[in-house]
Amino acid sequence: MSSELDPQVRALLDTLDEQRAPPTYGVSVETARDQLEELFSAADPEPVGEVRNFDIQGPAGPLPVRLYAPEAADGPLPVFVTFHGGGWVIGSLDTHDAVCRGIANEADCLVLSVDYRLAPEHPFPAAVEDCYAATEWAAEFAPEIGGDPDRIAVGGDSAGGNLTAAVSLMARDQGGPDLCHQSLIYPAVASPPLHEFDSYAENGEGYFLERDDMAWFYERYIPRATDARNEYAAPLLARDLADLPPATLITGGFDPLRDEGYAYADRLRDAGVAVEHEHFEGMIHGFISMTDVIDRSRDAIEVVAEGLRNSFET
């Protein structure tokens, strides 16, 4: 499907090859976490109006969140609740700080980033439960943070896209919150034992996220075989995708998850959900977080922000 890599992506991959860092699937969980922190930490963070760290009540105790407010904010503002990527095992508030800052400014909204519990210490459904609880909290307490409870959106990349799709399904199934948008950035929505896609074969090695990385993540997030059939673990398994919020969906041409993103967009459209699908031909998985080295990451942030602005205005 893809033609050629973006030159900046090729340069990044060459640099990573020269560093000879071991792959995620070949190191300990702690080392994998440290590697992502180092890679995704922006050297010069984009200024925003305000950043606050605090805890909310989660299903298993205090749940850390980080709130971003845009510059010159005039509330009440819409609230974008976001869930970071990292295969449900790695990633943090810090690894996705640059993306949150960009979206807060571009979409002129509050961004609430959720530090959900990670596997293998906390396998499925811990992350889904935390993200849903944070979304409920945002809807209930939006006025206390300068937000509009009638304009709540959710979003995330990769594993965070998976959690976004799951939270959107949960909100529909459990009677709220009423979400106005979902932003799905190269989401992991399939169930490996039950789905097979060409993009795993085409892009499974040499393009940052590898097929073996995904197996490593799934082994830690979904250790019980029965959970692999749960639609909140793999939203592509959901029998009915009707009555979900409008979606912005981003895919990358050299991403193993490319085809499941396409499949989910098609399923949403078939169910009558409005979908804006933007495909970034020369991009790899994770590119939206690489704001320091890949120019098109800003284009992806703008795509997300435009989808949010359109939903917030309707």
Side-chain angles (χ1 to χ4, degrees):
M1 184 181 291
S2 296
S3 52
E4 60 184 44
L5 276 172
D6 180 275
Q8 290 181 318
V9 171
R10 170 49 66 198
L12 172 65
L13 293 175
D14 289 345
T15 299
L16 293 175
D17 284 344
E18 291 166 8
Q19 292 174 352
R20 298 186 181 278
T24 297
Y25 63 84
V27 298
S28 69
V29 167
E30 198 57 46
T31 298
R33 289 171 179 167
D34 291 343
Q35 285 180 345
L36 196 70
E37 293 287 337
E38 184 177 350
L39 180 64
F40 280 1
S41 295
D44 188 18
E46 177 180 347
V48 294
E50 183 185 15
V51 179
R52 279 199 288 147
N53 291 291
F54 56 95
D55 290 347
I56 64 174
Q57 183 59 47
L63 179 58
V65 296
R66 181 177 294 170
L67 181 69
Y68 300 80
E71 296 191 51
D74 185 18
L77 294 175
V79 183
F80 179 55
V81 188
T82 184
F83 319 121
H84 67 77
W88 313 275
V89 177
I90 61 179
S92 68
L93 300 180
D94 291 337
T95 59
H96 287 63
D97 180 73
V99 177
C100 292
R101 289 169 179 268
I103 292 173
N105 285 334
E106 294 288 342
D108 197 28
C109 68
L110 299 175
V111 175
L112 187 74
S113 185
V114 182
D115 197 13
Y116 56 86
R117 288 171 290 165
L118 297 177
E121 298 92 335
H122 306 283
F124 177 84
V128 181
E129 292 173 347
D130 283 357
C131 294
Y132 184 63
T135 305
E136 288 187 305
W137 183 92
E140 182 175 354
F141 293 101
E144 297 189 16
I145 57 173
D148 182 350
D150 294 324
R151 291 185 292 169
I152 305 292
V154 290
D157 70 303
S158 191
N162 165 284
L163 295 167
T164 297
V167 166
S168 298
L169 286 166
M170 272 191 172
R172 180 200 65 184
D173 297 345
Q174 300 183 22
D178 186 14
L179 303 174
C180 66
H181 198 74
Q182 54 177 323
S183 302
L184 305 160
I185 306 164
Y186 33 80
V189 288
S191 177
L194 303 173
H195 296 114
E196 189 171 333
F197 295 101
D198 291 343
S199 55
Y200 261 78
E202 293 174 19
N203 304 323
E205 292 182 10
Y207 299 113
F208 185 61
L209 177 70
E210 300 197 341
R211 181 194 302 108
D212 290 341
D213 293 332
M214 288 304 298
W216 189 87
F217 289 135
Y218 276 111
E219 285 169 7
R220 283 148 186 79
Y221 181 53
I222 308 177
R224 297 190 307 175
T226 53
D227 288 334
R229 296 182 176 275
N230 189 311
E231 65 184 45
Y232 297 142
L236 197 55
L237 293 175
R239 294 180 181 177
D240 181 13
L241 295 181
D243 302 318
L244 292 175
T248 297
L249 196 146
I250 287 174
T251 49
F254 290 85
D255 184 352
L257 307 189
R258 180 194 68 206
D259 291 355
E260 64 197 77
Y262 267 86
Y264 201 65
D266 290 343
R267 286 281 317 280
L268 288 169
R269 285 196 196 95
D270 290 346
V273 176
V275 180
E276 188 66 37
H277 177 194
E278 191 80 20
H279 182 62
F280 285 77
E281 189 72 26
M283 292 293 111
I284 55 172
H285 193 82
F287 79 93
I288 198 172
S289 299
M290 302 171 182
T291 52
D292 284 352
V293 292
I294 296 178
D295 293 340
R296 295 226 68 194
S297 67
R298 293 299 313 188
D299 296 335
I301 288 172
E302 174 54 33
V303 167
V304 173
E306 182 180 12
L308 290 171
R309 288 194 304 267
N310 291 339
S311 287
F312 293 153
E313 290 168 2
T314 55

